[in-house]
Amino acid sequence: MSKLPTKPEILEWISDNPTLTSKRDIAKAFGIKGAARIDLKRMLKELEAEGHLEKRKKTFRDPDKLPPVSVIQITEADSDGDLFARPMEWQGEGAEPKILMVLRASDPALGAGDRILGRLSEVKGEAHQYEAKLIRRIGTNPHRVLGVFRKSAEGGRILPIDKGDQKEWLVPAGATHGAKEGELVEAEQAGPKGRMGLPRARIVSRLGDPSAPKAVSLIAIHQHGIPDDFPDAVIAEADGKKPAVLTGREDMRDMPLITIDPADARDHDDACWTHADDDPKNKGGYVIWVAIADVAHYVTPGSALDREARKRGNSSYFPDRVVPMLPDRLSGDLCSLHEGVPRACLAVRMQIDASGEKIGHRFVRGLMRSVASLNYQEVQRARDGDVNEKCAPLMDQVIDPLYEAYDLLVKARARRQPLDLDLPERKVVLSDAGEVLSVNFRDRLDAHKLIEEFMILANVAAAETLTAKKSPLLFRVHEEPSVEKLDALRETAETSGLTLAKGQVLQTAHLNRLLTAAKDTDFAELINMATLRSMTQAYYSPSNFGHFGLALRSYAHFTSPIRRYSDLIVHRALVSSHGWGDDGLTAADSEDLENTANHISETERRSMMAERDTTDRYLAAFLSERVGNEFAGRISGIAKYGAFVRLDDTGADGLIPVRSLGNEFFHFDRESGTLMGVDSGFTLSLGQKVTVKLTETAPISGSVALELISVEGDEVPRSGRGGGHRKGRPGKRQLNRAKKKSAKVQRKVKRTRR
């Protein structure tokens, strides 16, 4: 502007732009430069003197308005359960404004008296003047620690169970919460963190004997902050639900749909049926029905069930327990497709041609009744000729057609070339008391692959339908590897005498050729692990970036709404886009998809880490009675502090500390993934076959320590064996010697790479 703004114009700007209220911001907004800034300063002082503005530090604001980010105090909940707050600082002349708290599912519980930093937005036409979202609590977010309590004269100490946390915590006498010697406890930081001495903590919960078998998963649940108790309101809401009726649904109760799950499955959320397509235009093709539990009917947007499900993000599975996303009334009953019981579902009818390509599909909201609940092993045995009484009447009409349709999908899969990694999955088998009986590798039967292919096809259909209908949804995204990770994989392949070509747009087919070349060689496991490490992690997003690993342009999770919140969002999108009811995707759901995607991607990673940590602890407990035994394995990882070995018979990972390799200094080369002795040239690298001795296990942390015996059948040379005398970092003499030999080391590393 060429002239100064009027006072009303300045006040209107400050009201509309509460975060841009410094004199500099105001001058920039109105194009005021040079000497005119003096006149602007005068006008602002006049407005301040007249009571229209209040100056705080270097900004101006309307004294009758709260700043967009304010410290507020929780007051109380009203009769409807809504939580309100008051501003801690109010300079206005009118009545103190009333603030409604808008809590997200992931927010902690708040009570009267809590002070928080909140993001405020002004509202009109309501009994309250502002709505606030929690940014963080003020002074009530202490550091938490999980560990073993040890009594002492001054109260006690806590020994953390995290592998990387060696710091003890001091517990004053009045803050032990009655904990007993050796008990597993959860504590929080008490008081500010001092520079000197041990940090102080107070115990907030006692979790029992840490060595008890069934404490293993409990440790991981608490350590990773996975909610494992449902609030009373959520249970009450679930208990009040009634089975869905046929009204407004397609009657699918006469279809011979079956569920196929693990023998120990705790819920059944998907059913299928296939038959030869009777459309003369699709000769040799099949119709595949996939029916999924209609969770959206029971878990409606904004309900207590919905808030808790979003907070959890997904179910978490452990060898001895499940922490479900939904209460058992839903996950184990109303939303579980039990045999012979009518159940609400969302189903997709898909047509595939004789080459296995999907040529059409449509979704329905229906009522189904499963004719049988089967497990993978009995279905596979039946297909192979060992038919039990339950499968016998289903062979011709149900089981055989499933495999016939699957055979067509295998053809389409071969053309599509999704990433074909061969990484066996470990299964920890427990006794009723929670003790490890065995550690096995799960079989991958055609029955498993069949269901997997049907679910992938249904997920593709959901993504395509919602995209065509221009409906918001959450995609399952898997982006291609970064250039740096590909270079590392190419380096590993070259070290193994294999090739991953450069200079072309990467496709999964290129990686599959590398995996095929490595198959049945000594480098098969190394190449599979290296390929897996090169992959990015899949995540959820409202934007579609494709699924690299599956070689699909569009993919969404639709088939497991009992255990994944992402699938519930997709179900709601299907409901709203088809006009099937008022329990579909809401405007609030749609606006918050980005936040929901980020949140459930995080909860998925949280569950994966907790499940992995639990398996590590069970394996360490299983191996604890075999300390001193020798095991065969392969080097699965290299770090500057040692080499990781995956044991062949259990899949357990253990560490060979670099200090146990001898007195010489070991050079770590990140690019080639090697540890090389500066004096001896003794080298450890990824994929090498080794024999190791189990020297120590720590079941509470899941750590396994190993001693190296031989590499590729050759005994470790004396200079490379564990003398254990070298302590800490190498001295100056060792470092100088290492520097002098750096050229020699690099030549050896290059030879290793070749």
Side-chain angles (χ1 to χ4, degrees), residues 37 137 139 142 172 191 253 503 572 579 582:
R37 286 174 175 264
R137 274 177 164 176
R253 289 174 292 180
R572 287 177 181 166
D582 57 3

Side-chain angles (χ1 to χ4, degrees), residues 488-489 491-493 495-496 522-527 529-531 533 633-639 642-646 668-675 683-690 711-712 752:
L489 174 59
E491 190 87 39
T492 302
T495 301
S496 306
D522 290 341
F523 302 104
E525 187 173 359
L526 167 65
I527 295 300
M529 287 191 298
T531 303
R533 286 196 180 109
R634 281 185 182 273
I635 294 180
S636 58
I638 297 287
F644 291 94
V645 173
R646 179 159 294 175
F668 170 55
D669 187 285
R670 188 182 300 277
E671 290 184 13
S672 64
T674 58
L675 273 176
T683 303
L684 293 178
S685 59
L686 285 171
Q688 286 177 323
K689 287 183 180 180
V690 295
V711 178
E712 298 290 351
T752 302

Side-chain angles (χ1 to χ4, degrees), residues 194-247:
R195 292 185 179 181
M196 303 295 289
L198 296 176
R200 291 175 172 261
R202 59 175 168 266
I203 294 173
V204 294
S205 59
R206 296 162 55 192
L207 306 175
D209 181 3
S211 63
K214 291 196 174 181
V216 173
S217 56
L218 196 60
I219 290 172
I221 289 166
H222 281 266
Q223 185 179 359
H224 292 279
I226 297 174
D228 61 338
D229 280 329
F230 285 104
D232 292 343
V234 175
I235 295 296
E237 190 174 291
D239 288 345
K241 297 295 182 180
K242 305 295 183 185
V245 296
L246 183 60
T247 305

Side-chain angles (χ1 to χ4, degrees), residues 271-506:
C272 57
W273 173 50
T274 68
H275 62 84
D277 196 351
D278 55 9
D279 185 346
K281 296 179 181 178
N282 190 28
K283 188 175 181 180
Y286 273 76
V287 171
I288 300 174
W289 280 93
V290 170
I292 307 298
D294 188 357
V295 176
H297 174 77
Y298 299 101
V299 183
T300 53
S303 64
L305 279 166
D306 180 44
R307 291 193 298 272
E308 185 68 16
R310 186 186 183 278
K311 177 181 177 181
R312 295 178 178 226
N314 50 266
S315 298
S316 300
Y317 292 84
F318 303 94
D320 66 328
R321 73 187 73 206
V322 174
V323 180
M325 186 179 80
L326 301 172
D328 189 62
R329 168 62 172 157
L330 298 184
S331 62
D333 186 9
L334 294 178
C335 295
S336 193
L337 308 180
H338 294 304
E339 179 179 328
V341 181
R343 284 289 179 255
C345 68
L346 259 61
V348 57
R349 179 188 186 272
M350 300 173 287
Q351 286 177 285
I352 60 171
D353 60 21
S355 67
E357 298 293 339
K358 181 169 65 66
I359 59 173
H361 67 267
R362 67 178 176 90
F363 283 88
V364 300
R365 198 174 201 183
L367 192 71
M368 59 155 286
R369 180 166 44 216
S370 169
V371 298
S373 293
L374 306 176
N375 65 61
Y376 291 113
Q377 287 74 20
E378 67 182 332
V379 170
Q380 190 62 53
R381 285 196 298 268
R383 176 64 174 177
D384 294 340
D386 182 11
V387 185
N388 64 16
E389 291 183 1
K390 197 167 187 178
C391 292
L394 301 170
M395 291 304 300
D396 293 339
Q397 188 184 9
V398 181
I399 293 177
D400 285 340
L402 288 176
Y403 280 85
E404 290 160 8
Y406 168 63
D407 289 341
L408 299 184
L409 292 179
V410 170
K411 296 178 183 177
R413 179 186 176 90
R415 290 192 300 274
R416 194 176 84 242
Q417 285 276 306
L419 190 61
D420 190 19
L421 288 169
D422 181 20
L423 295 167
E425 184 183 354
R426 293 174 296 185
K427 180 180 181 181
V428 177
V429 181
L430 303 177
S431 69
D432 292 339
E435 296 172 337
V436 182
L437 296 176
S438 64
V439 180
N440 304 322
F441 290 97
R442 297 181 188 270
D443 293 328
R444 282 280 293 161
L445 307 172
D446 280 349
H448 291 100
K449 298 174 185 177
L450 176 156
I451 294 299
E452 185 178 285
E453 287 300 317
F454 287 0
M455 298 305 115
I456 289 173
L457 200 66
N459 288 337
V460 170
E464 291 177 350
T465 290
L466 293 174
T467 300
K469 289 180 176 290
K470 295 182 170 54
S471 170
L473 76 148
L474 288 179
F475 293 95
R476 181 63 168 177
V477 172
H478 183 229
E479 297 182 75
E480 66 181 48
S482 66
V483 173
E484 293 78 16
K485 288 189 174 182
L486 273 179
D487 287 342
L489 174 59
R490 191 172 287 111
E491 190 87 39
T492 302
E494 290 174 0
T495 301
S496 306
L498 303 170
T499 302
L500 177 62
K502 269 187 172 183
Q504 54 188 336
V505 177
L506 182 71

